[in-house]
């Protein structure tokens, strides 16, 4: 019998965590400490900043780096285009079981379970709904993808829209063929490393095959469940896997956020929820999508100002220690300050030696 205690423990330690803005009163890790880390690890940082006034920072902005959940801005953009073109209805009631089946229990920091609970969907400790026939709005799934960083949601959207739609949405934001491989497939290659592909193309193909097998085969799901307690569980042990996940550049991430800030629509609406209480004076809204994986901490952001200006930022960090990953508030504060205040911009520029 599967040891549920071991499986639950594995679910708690494996993979990413959702990045949410810190309380206004204090940041868990002060922005100054985050900038100190950046200054000491410039070779591990990709940055693209445009504050909307003509001031820009580009530091390793075109170097491909691990994206983690920051790539979900592409899925949001594709969803927004599909809604605007009448191909998807935000109010469509979708079956929760079709969302759940793309969640292989671990590697999301509890984001899927948090998503379901926020929607009032009763579920077990692994984030699987008690009633798979229960329905939620499609738009709620997208909201969960952005606000809680649910990993099953982008795979659901990819299934509905196809890679072509995702690539076209990326191209509209200046991002040619973004790597939108299956999150579920990547997690399954962490659980079953002997099956993992060695090149990006192999990883994508193997991930799609494993994800399909997980969806359609109860026997395979049982095999996966039994393997989870022995999967790599520390950031050091998971680092080789992390390095093979999808990559993109700071310039591409920042460009997508800038494009969506300008074009508006339902995708922008979702991106502007998380920082709704942190909008700088004189600004209209802050768009945000973060991402993390072992030793990886990322941020994509836009700021829309009342005078029509748009600022954009992407900060991609690699080689990050567990302490900063566990308390990323200062990193988020430093990013928001850099794109919204002259002093914050100057502070990041100094840290990067720009």
């Amino acid at each position: 019998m599967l040891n549920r205690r071991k499986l639950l423990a594995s679910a708690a330690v494996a993979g990413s965590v959702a990045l949410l803005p810190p309380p206004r009163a204090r940041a868990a890790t002060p922005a100054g400490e985050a900038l100190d880390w950046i200054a000491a690890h410039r070779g591990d940082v990709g940055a693209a900043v445009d504050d909307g006034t003509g001031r820009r920072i580009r530091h390793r902005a075109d170097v491909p780096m691990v994206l983690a959940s920051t790539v979900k801005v592409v899925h949001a953009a594709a969803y927004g285009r599909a809604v605007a073109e009448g191909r998807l209805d935000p109010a469509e009631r979708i079956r929760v079981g079709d969302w759940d089946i793309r969640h292989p229990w671990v590697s999301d920091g509890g984001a899927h379970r948090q998503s379901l609970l926020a929607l009032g969907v009763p579920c077990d400790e692994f984030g699987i709904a008690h009633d798979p026939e229960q329905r939620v709005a499609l738009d709620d799934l997208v909201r969960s993808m952005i606000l809680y960083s649910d990993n099953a949601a982008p795979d659901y959207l990819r299934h509905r829209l196809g890679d072509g739609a995702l690539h076209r949405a990326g191209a509209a934001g200046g991002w040619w063929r973004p790597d939108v491989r299956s999150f579920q497939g990547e997690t399954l290659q962490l659980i079953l490393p002997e099956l993992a592909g060695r090149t990006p193309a192999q990883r994508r193909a193997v991930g799609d095959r494993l994800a399909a097998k997980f969806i359609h085969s109860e026997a395979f799901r049982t095999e996966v469940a039994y393997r989870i307690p022995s999967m790599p569980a520390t950031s050091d042990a998971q680092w080789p896997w992390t390095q093979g996940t999808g990559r993109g550049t700071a310039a591409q991430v920042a460009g997508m956020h800038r494009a969506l800030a300008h074009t508006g629509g339902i995708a922008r609406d979702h991106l502007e929820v998380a920082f709704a209480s942190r909008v700088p004076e004189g600004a209209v809204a802050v768009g945000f999508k973060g991402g993390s994986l072992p030793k990886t901490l990322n941020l994509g952001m836009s700021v829309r100002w009342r005078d029509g200006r748009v600022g954009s930022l992407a900060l991609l960090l690699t080689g990050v220690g567990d302490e900063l990953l566990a308390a990323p508030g200062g990193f988020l504060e430093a990013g928001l300050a850099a794109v919204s205040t002259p002093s914050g911009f100057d502070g990041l520029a100094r840290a990067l030696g720009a």
Side-chain angles (χ1 to χ4, degrees), residues 39-69:
H41 301 84
R42 292 173 181 168
D44 296 322
V45 179
V49 187
D50 183 336
D51 72 354
T53 70
R55 304 183 75 197
R56 297 179 177 87
I57 298 172
R58 290 181 64 88
H59 176 83
R60 301 178 74 248
D62 297 314
V63 177
M65 300 180 67
V66 171
L67 289 171
S69 289

PDB file of all heavy atoms in Angstrom, residues 39-69:
ATOM      1  N   ALA A  39      24.311  41.686  -6.693  1.00  0.00           N
ATOM      2  CA  ALA A  39      25.634  42.292  -6.891  1.00  0.00           C
ATOM      3  C   ALA A  39      26.749  41.256  -6.783  1.00  0.00           C
ATOM      4  O   ALA A  39      27.768  41.351  -7.474  1.00  0.00           O
ATOM      5  CB  ALA A  39      25.852  43.414  -5.884  1.00  0.00           C
ATOM      6  N   ALA A  40      26.548  40.270  -5.928  1.00  0.00           N
ATOM      7  CA  ALA A  40      27.572  39.245  -5.717  1.00  0.00           C
ATOM      8  C   ALA A  40      27.475  38.107  -6.720  1.00  0.00           C
ATOM      9  O   ALA A  40      28.377  37.262  -6.775  1.00  0.00           O
ATOM     10  CB  ALA A  40      27.468  38.696  -4.292  1.00  0.00           C
ATOM     11  N   HIS A  41      26.414  38.069  -7.514  1.00  0.00           N
ATOM     12  CA  HIS A  41      26.199  36.956  -8.451  1.00  0.00           C
ATOM     13  C   HIS A  41      25.755  37.482  -9.819  1.00  0.00           C
ATOM     14  O   HIS A  41      24.815  36.957 -10.428  1.00  0.00           O
ATOM     15  CB  HIS A  41      25.137  35.995  -7.895  1.00  0.00           C
ATOM     16  CG  HIS A  41      25.471  35.401  -6.572  1.00  0.00           C
ATOM     17  ND1 HIS A  41      25.223  36.040  -5.381  1.00  0.00           N
ATOM     18  CD2 HIS A  41      26.039  34.207  -6.249  1.00  0.00           C
ATOM     19  CE1 HIS A  41      25.612  35.273  -4.379  1.00  0.00           C
ATOM     20  NE2 HIS A  41      26.115  34.159  -4.878  1.00  0.00           N
ATOM     21  N   ARG A  42      26.438  38.498 -10.315  1.00  0.00           N
ATOM     22  CA  ARG A  42      26.005  39.121 -11.579  1.00  0.00           C
ATOM     23  C   ARG A  42      25.973  38.144 -12.733  1.00  0.00           C
ATOM     24  O   ARG A  42      25.161  38.283 -13.652  1.00  0.00           O
ATOM     25  CB  ARG A  42      26.928  40.301 -11.906  1.00  0.00           C
ATOM     26  CG  ARG A  42      26.778  41.476 -10.944  1.00  0.00           C
ATOM     27  CD  ARG A  42      27.818  42.539 -11.202  1.00  0.00           C
ATOM     28  NE  ARG A  42      27.679  43.653 -10.272  1.00  0.00           N
ATOM     29  CZ  ARG A  42      28.592  44.618 -10.107  1.00  0.00           C
ATOM     30  NH1 ARG A  42      29.716  44.597 -10.838  1.00  0.00           N
ATOM     31  NH2 ARG A  42      28.379  45.580  -9.239  1.00  0.00           N
ATOM     32  N   GLY A  43      26.836  37.145 -12.695  1.00  0.00           N
ATOM     33  CA  GLY A  43      26.860  36.158 -13.771  1.00  0.00           C
ATOM     34  C   GLY A  43      25.712  35.177 -13.724  1.00  0.00           C
ATOM     35  O   GLY A  43      25.563  34.358 -14.630  1.00  0.00           O
ATOM     36  N   ASP A  44      24.903  35.254 -12.671  1.00  0.00           N
ATOM     37  CA  ASP A  44      23.750  34.374 -12.523  1.00  0.00           C
ATOM     38  C   ASP A  44      22.438  35.123 -12.666  1.00  0.00           C
ATOM     39  O   ASP A  44      21.385  34.626 -12.250  1.00  0.00           O
ATOM     40  CB  ASP A  44      23.789  33.692 -11.147  1.00  0.00           C
ATOM     41  CG  ASP A  44      24.981  32.776 -10.990  1.00  0.00           C
ATOM     42  OD1 ASP A  44      25.336  32.097 -11.969  1.00  0.00           O
ATOM     43  OD2 ASP A  44      25.570  32.744  -9.891  1.00  0.00           O
ATOM     44  N   VAL A  45      22.492  36.325 -13.240  1.00  0.00           N
ATOM     45  CA  VAL A  45      21.314  37.184 -13.335  1.00  0.00           C
ATOM     46  C   VAL A  45      21.067  37.569 -14.791  1.00  0.00           C
ATOM     47  O   VAL A  45      22.002  37.913 -15.523  1.00  0.00           O
ATOM     48  CB  VAL A  45      21.503  38.464 -12.490  1.00  0.00           C
ATOM     49  CG1 VAL A  45      20.274  39.379 -12.620  1.00  0.00           C
ATOM     50  CG2 VAL A  45      21.772  38.123 -11.035  1.00  0.00           C
ATOM     51  N   GLY A  46      19.806  37.527 -15.194  1.00  0.00           N
ATOM     52  CA  GLY A  46      19.383  38.115 -16.452  1.00  0.00           C
ATOM     53  C   GLY A  46      18.396  39.222 -16.136  1.00  0.00           C
ATOM     54  O   GLY A  46      17.476  39.019 -15.343  1.00  0.00           O
ATOM     55  N   ALA A  47      18.582  40.402 -16.705  1.00  0.00           N
ATOM     56  CA  ALA A  47      17.715  41.536 -16.374  1.00  0.00           C
ATOM     57  C   ALA A  47      17.407  42.353 -17.622  1.00  0.00           C
ATOM     58  O   ALA A  47      18.286  42.609 -18.450  1.00  0.00           O
ATOM     59  CB  ALA A  47      18.369  42.433 -15.318  1.00  0.00           C
ATOM     60  N   ALA A  48      16.145  42.758 -17.722  1.00  0.00           N
ATOM     61  CA  ALA A  48      15.713  43.687 -18.766  1.00  0.00           C
ATOM     62  C   ALA A  48      14.709  44.631 -18.127  1.00  0.00           C
ATOM     63  O   ALA A  48      13.649  44.196 -17.671  1.00  0.00           O
ATOM     64  CB  ALA A  48      15.076  42.942 -19.932  1.00  0.00           C
ATOM     65  N   VAL A  49      15.072  45.907 -18.054  1.00  0.00           N
ATOM     66  CA  VAL A  49      14.233  46.899 -17.388  1.00  0.00           C
ATOM     67  C   VAL A  49      14.061  48.104 -18.296  1.00  0.00           C
ATOM     68  O   VAL A  49      15.021  48.587 -18.888  1.00  0.00           O
ATOM     69  CB  VAL A  49      14.860  47.362 -16.046  1.00  0.00           C
ATOM     70  CG1 VAL A  49      13.876  48.258 -15.284  1.00  0.00           C
ATOM     71  CG2 VAL A  49      15.286  46.177 -15.193  1.00  0.00           C
ATOM     72  N   ASP A  50      12.834  48.586 -18.390  1.00  0.00           N
ATOM     73  CA  ASP A  50      12.511  49.820 -19.091  1.00  0.00           C
ATOM     74  C   ASP A  50      11.502  50.539 -18.216  1.00  0.00           C
ATOM     75  O   ASP A  50      10.368  50.072 -18.056  1.00  0.00           O
ATOM     76  CB  ASP A  50      11.921  49.506 -20.471  1.00  0.00           C
ATOM     77  CG  ASP A  50      11.618  50.763 -21.285  1.00  0.00           C
ATOM     78  OD1 ASP A  50      11.412  51.838 -20.683  1.00  0.00           O
ATOM     79  OD2 ASP A  50      11.569  50.656 -22.523  1.00  0.00           O
ATOM     80  N   ASP A  51      11.895  51.656 -17.614  1.00  0.00           N
ATOM     81  CA  ASP A  51      11.004  52.302 -16.649  1.00  0.00           C
ATOM     82  C   ASP A  51       9.954  53.193 -17.300  1.00  0.00           C
ATOM     83  O   ASP A  51       9.158  53.828 -16.608  1.00  0.00           O
ATOM     84  CB  ASP A  51      11.802  53.079 -15.604  1.00  0.00           C
ATOM     85  CG  ASP A  51      12.435  54.346 -16.154  1.00  0.00           C
ATOM     86  OD1 ASP A  51      12.370  54.595 -17.378  1.00  0.00           O
ATOM     87  OD2 ASP A  51      13.015  55.109 -15.343  1.00  0.00           O
ATOM     88  N   GLY A  52       9.947  53.253 -18.635  1.00  0.00           N
ATOM     89  CA  GLY A  52       8.953  54.042 -19.338  1.00  0.00           C
ATOM     90  C   GLY A  52       9.324  55.496 -19.538  1.00  0.00           C
ATOM     91  O   GLY A  52       8.588  56.243 -20.190  1.00  0.00           O
ATOM     92  N   THR A  53      10.474  55.898 -19.003  1.00  0.00           N
ATOM     93  CA  THR A  53      10.929  57.283 -19.175  1.00  0.00           C
ATOM     94  C   THR A  53      12.137  57.365 -20.090  1.00  0.00           C
ATOM     95  O   THR A  53      12.709  58.442 -20.268  1.00  0.00           O
ATOM     96  CB  THR A  53      11.299  57.911 -17.820  1.00  0.00           C
ATOM     97  OG1 THR A  53      12.498  57.296 -17.320  1.00  0.00           O
ATOM     98  CG2 THR A  53      10.173  57.756 -16.814  1.00  0.00           C
ATOM     99  N   GLY A  54      12.547  56.228 -20.656  1.00  0.00           N
ATOM    100  CA  GLY A  54      13.733  56.199 -21.499  1.00  0.00           C
ATOM    101  C   GLY A  54      14.942  55.590 -20.819  1.00  0.00           C
ATOM    102  O   GLY A  54      15.979  55.391 -21.455  1.00  0.00           O
ATOM    103  N   ARG A  55      14.838  55.288 -19.528  1.00  0.00           N
ATOM    104  CA  ARG A  55      15.945  54.641 -18.806  1.00  0.00           C
ATOM    105  C   ARG A  55      15.798  53.126 -18.927  1.00  0.00           C
ATOM    106  O   ARG A  55      14.736  52.569 -18.681  1.00  0.00           O
ATOM    107  CB  ARG A  55      15.947  55.052 -17.336  1.00  0.00           C
ATOM    108  CG  ARG A  55      16.008  56.550 -17.108  1.00  0.00           C
ATOM    109  CD  ARG A  55      16.091  56.851 -15.617  1.00  0.00           C
ATOM    110  NE  ARG A  55      17.418  56.579 -15.100  1.00  0.00           N
ATOM    111  CZ  ARG A  55      17.694  56.429 -13.797  1.00  0.00           C
ATOM    112  NH1 ARG A  55      16.721  56.475 -12.904  1.00  0.00           N
ATOM    113  NH2 ARG A  55      18.930  56.212 -13.393  1.00  0.00           N
ATOM    114  N   ARG A  56      16.886  52.478 -19.287  1.00  0.00           N
ATOM    115  CA  ARG A  56      16.846  51.032 -19.502  1.00  0.00           C
ATOM    116  C   ARG A  56      18.062  50.354 -18.895  1.00  0.00           C
ATOM    117  O   ARG A  56      19.138  50.932 -18.829  1.00  0.00           O
ATOM    118  CB  ARG A  56      16.781  50.709 -21.007  1.00  0.00           C
ATOM    119  CG  ARG A  56      15.524  51.227 -21.697  1.00  0.00           C
ATOM    120  CD  ARG A  56      15.544  50.892 -23.182  1.00  0.00           C
ATOM    121  NE  ARG A  56      14.317  51.323 -23.846  1.00  0.00           N
ATOM    122  CZ  ARG A  56      14.120  52.525 -24.342  1.00  0.00           C
ATOM    123  NH1 ARG A  56      15.105  53.430 -24.272  1.00  0.00           N
ATOM    124  NH2 ARG A  56      12.983  52.840 -24.919  1.00  0.00           N
ATOM    125  N   ILE A  57      17.856  49.128 -18.482  1.00  0.00           N
ATOM    126  CA  ILE A  57      18.933  48.249 -18.035  1.00  0.00           C
ATOM    127  C   ILE A  57      18.836  46.962 -18.841  1.00  0.00           C
ATOM    128  O   ILE A  57      17.750  46.372 -18.951  1.00  0.00           O
ATOM    129  CB  ILE A  57      18.828  47.906 -16.530  1.00  0.00           C
ATOM    130  CG1 ILE A  57      18.934  49.152 -15.666  1.00  0.00           C
ATOM    131  CG2 ILE A  57      19.901  46.887 -16.138  1.00  0.00           C
ATOM    132  CD1 ILE A  57      18.637  48.882 -14.189  1.00  0.00           C
ATOM    133  N   ARG A  58      19.943  46.532 -19.397  1.00  0.00           N
ATOM    134  CA  ARG A  58      20.024  45.235 -20.047  1.00  0.00           C
ATOM    135  C   ARG A  58      21.276  44.542 -19.545  1.00  0.00           C
ATOM    136  O   ARG A  58      22.398  45.007 -19.794  1.00  0.00           O
ATOM    137  CB  ARG A  58      20.057  45.365 -21.577  1.00  0.00           C
ATOM    138  CG  ARG A  58      18.724  45.822 -22.179  1.00  0.00           C
ATOM    139  CD  ARG A  58      18.831  45.905 -23.704  1.00  0.00           C
ATOM    140  NE  ARG A  58      19.076  44.598 -24.294  1.00  0.00           N
ATOM    141  CZ  ARG A  58      18.118  43.743 -24.647  1.00  0.00           C
ATOM    142  NH1 ARG A  58      16.854  44.069 -24.447  1.00  0.00           N
ATOM    143  NH2 ARG A  58      18.410  42.586 -25.199  1.00  0.00           N
ATOM    144  N   HIS A  59      21.074  43.469 -18.827  1.00  0.00           N
ATOM    145  CA  HIS A  59      22.197  42.710 -18.263  1.00  0.00           C
ATOM    146  C   HIS A  59      21.955  41.235 -18.582  1.00  0.00           C
ATOM    147  O   HIS A  59      21.014  40.637 -18.073  1.00  0.00           O
ATOM    148  CB  HIS A  59      22.273  42.925 -16.752  1.00  0.00           C
ATOM    149  CG  HIS A  59      23.335  42.099 -16.075  1.00  0.00           C
ATOM    150  ND1 HIS A  59      24.656  42.495 -16.019  1.00  0.00           N
ATOM    151  CD2 HIS A  59      23.267  40.889 -15.452  1.00  0.00           C
ATOM    152  CE1 HIS A  59      25.356  41.576 -15.370  1.00  0.00           C
ATOM    153  NE2 HIS A  59      24.541  40.593 -15.034  1.00  0.00           N
ATOM    154  N   ARG A  60      22.756  40.694 -19.455  1.00  0.00           N
ATOM    155  CA  ARG A  60      22.575  39.309 -19.907  1.00  0.00           C
ATOM    156  C   ARG A  60      21.119  39.085 -20.315  1.00  0.00           C
ATOM    157  O   ARG A  60      20.536  38.024 -20.087  1.00  0.00           O
ATOM    158  CB  ARG A  60      22.988  38.326 -18.806  1.00  0.00           C
ATOM    159  CG  ARG A  60      24.432  38.485 -18.356  1.00  0.00           C
ATOM    160  CD  ARG A  60      24.826  37.543 -17.216  1.00  0.00           C
ATOM    161  NE  ARG A  60      24.981  36.164 -17.680  1.00  0.00           N
ATOM    162  CZ  ARG A  60      24.162  35.160 -17.339  1.00  0.00           C
ATOM    163  NH1 ARG A  60      23.121  35.392 -16.554  1.00  0.00           N
ATOM    164  NH2 ARG A  60      24.374  33.951 -17.794  1.00  0.00           N
ATOM    165  N   ALA A  61      20.544  40.116 -20.931  1.00  0.00           N
ATOM    166  CA  ALA A  61      19.116  40.100 -21.238  1.00  0.00           C
ATOM    167  C   ALA A  61      18.748  39.101 -22.316  1.00  0.00           C
ATOM    168  O   ALA A  61      17.574  38.709 -22.419  1.00  0.00           O
ATOM    169  CB  ALA A  61      18.661  41.503 -21.653  1.00  0.00           C
ATOM    170  N   ASP A  62      19.702  38.679 -23.136  1.00  0.00           N
ATOM    171  CA  ASP A  62      19.419  37.746 -24.225  1.00  0.00           C
ATOM    172  C   ASP A  62      19.998  36.360 -23.970  1.00  0.00           C
ATOM    173  O   ASP A  62      20.084  35.534 -24.886  1.00  0.00           O
ATOM    174  CB  ASP A  62      19.964  38.301 -25.540  1.00  0.00           C
ATOM    175  CG  ASP A  62      19.276  39.602 -25.928  1.00  0.00           C
ATOM    176  OD1 ASP A  62      18.035  39.656 -25.850  1.00  0.00           O
ATOM    177  OD2 ASP A  62      19.983  40.571 -26.271  1.00  0.00           O
ATOM    178  N   VAL A  63      20.382  36.090 -22.724  1.00  0.00           N
ATOM    179  CA  VAL A  63      20.918  34.777 -22.355  1.00  0.00           C
ATOM    180  C   VAL A  63      19.770  33.883 -21.894  1.00  0.00           C
ATOM    181  O   VAL A  63      19.060  34.239 -20.942  1.00  0.00           O
ATOM    182  CB  VAL A  63      21.963  34.906 -21.232  1.00  0.00           C
ATOM    183  CG1 VAL A  63      22.452  33.524 -20.797  1.00  0.00           C
ATOM    184  CG2 VAL A  63      23.136  35.760 -21.686  1.00  0.00           C
ATOM    185  N   PRO A  64      19.533  32.748 -22.535  1.00  0.00           N
ATOM    186  CA  PRO A  64      18.447  31.856 -22.095  1.00  0.00           C
ATOM    187  C   PRO A  64      18.702  31.345 -20.681  1.00  0.00           C
ATOM    188  O   PRO A  64      19.795  30.881 -20.355  1.00  0.00           O
ATOM    189  CB  PRO A  64      18.494  30.716 -23.109  1.00  0.00           C
ATOM    190  CG  PRO A  64      19.159  31.301 -24.319  1.00  0.00           C
ATOM    191  CD  PRO A  64      20.179  32.252 -23.769  1.00  0.00           C
ATOM    192  N   MET A  65      17.671  31.449 -19.855  1.00  0.00           N
ATOM    193  CA  MET A  65      17.739  30.999 -18.471  1.00  0.00           C
ATOM    194  C   MET A  65      16.475  30.220 -18.134  1.00  0.00           C
ATOM    195  O   MET A  65      15.468  30.321 -18.822  1.00  0.00           O
ATOM    196  CB  MET A  65      17.906  32.203 -17.530  1.00  0.00           C
ATOM    197  CG  MET A  65      19.173  33.011 -17.796  1.00  0.00           C
ATOM    198  SD  MET A  65      19.372  34.431 -16.684  1.00  0.00           S
ATOM    199  CE  MET A  65      19.644  33.598 -15.105  1.00  0.00           C
ATOM    200  N   VAL A  66      16.553  29.436 -17.052  1.00  0.00           N
ATOM    201  CA  VAL A  66      15.384  28.669 -16.614  1.00  0.00           C
ATOM    202  C   VAL A  66      14.234  29.627 -16.321  1.00  0.00           C
ATOM    203  O   VAL A  66      14.391  30.616 -15.604  1.00  0.00           O
ATOM    204  CB  VAL A  66      15.725  27.832 -15.369  1.00  0.00           C
ATOM    205  CG1 VAL A  66      14.466  27.211 -14.776  1.00  0.00           C
ATOM    206  CG2 VAL A  66      16.744  26.753 -15.721  1.00  0.00           C
ATOM    207  N   LEU A  67      13.067  29.338 -16.876  1.00  0.00           N
ATOM    208  CA  LEU A  67      11.930  30.244 -16.765  1.00  0.00           C
ATOM    209  C   LEU A  67      11.031  29.969 -15.572  1.00  0.00           C
ATOM    210  O   LEU A  67      10.440  30.880 -15.014  1.00  0.00           O
ATOM    211  CB  LEU A  67      11.081  30.165 -18.036  1.00  0.00           C
ATOM    212  CG  LEU A  67      11.684  30.778 -19.288  1.00  0.00           C
ATOM    213  CD1 LEU A  67      10.830  30.420 -20.500  1.00  0.00           C
ATOM    214  CD2 LEU A  67      11.795  32.290 -19.154  1.00  0.00           C
ATOM    215  N   ALA A  68      10.883  28.688 -15.200  1.00  0.00           N
ATOM    216  CA  ALA A  68       9.888  28.304 -14.201  1.00  0.00           C
ATOM    217  C   ALA A  68       8.524  28.864 -14.628  1.00  0.00           C
ATOM    218  O   ALA A  68       8.205  28.896 -15.817  1.00  0.00           O
ATOM    219  CB  ALA A  68      10.310  28.766 -12.814  1.00  0.00           C
ATOM    220  N   SER A  69       7.752  29.365 -13.686  1.00  0.00           N
ATOM    221  CA  SER A  69       6.375  29.761 -13.992  1.00  0.00           C
ATOM    222  C   SER A  69       6.246  31.107 -14.686  1.00  0.00           C
ATOM    223  O   SER A  69       5.130  31.485 -15.070  1.00  0.00           O
ATOM    224  CB  SER A  69       5.549  29.774 -12.708  1.00  0.00           C
ATOM    225  OG  SER A  69       5.318  28.459 -12.251  1.00  0.00           O
TER     226      SER A  69
END
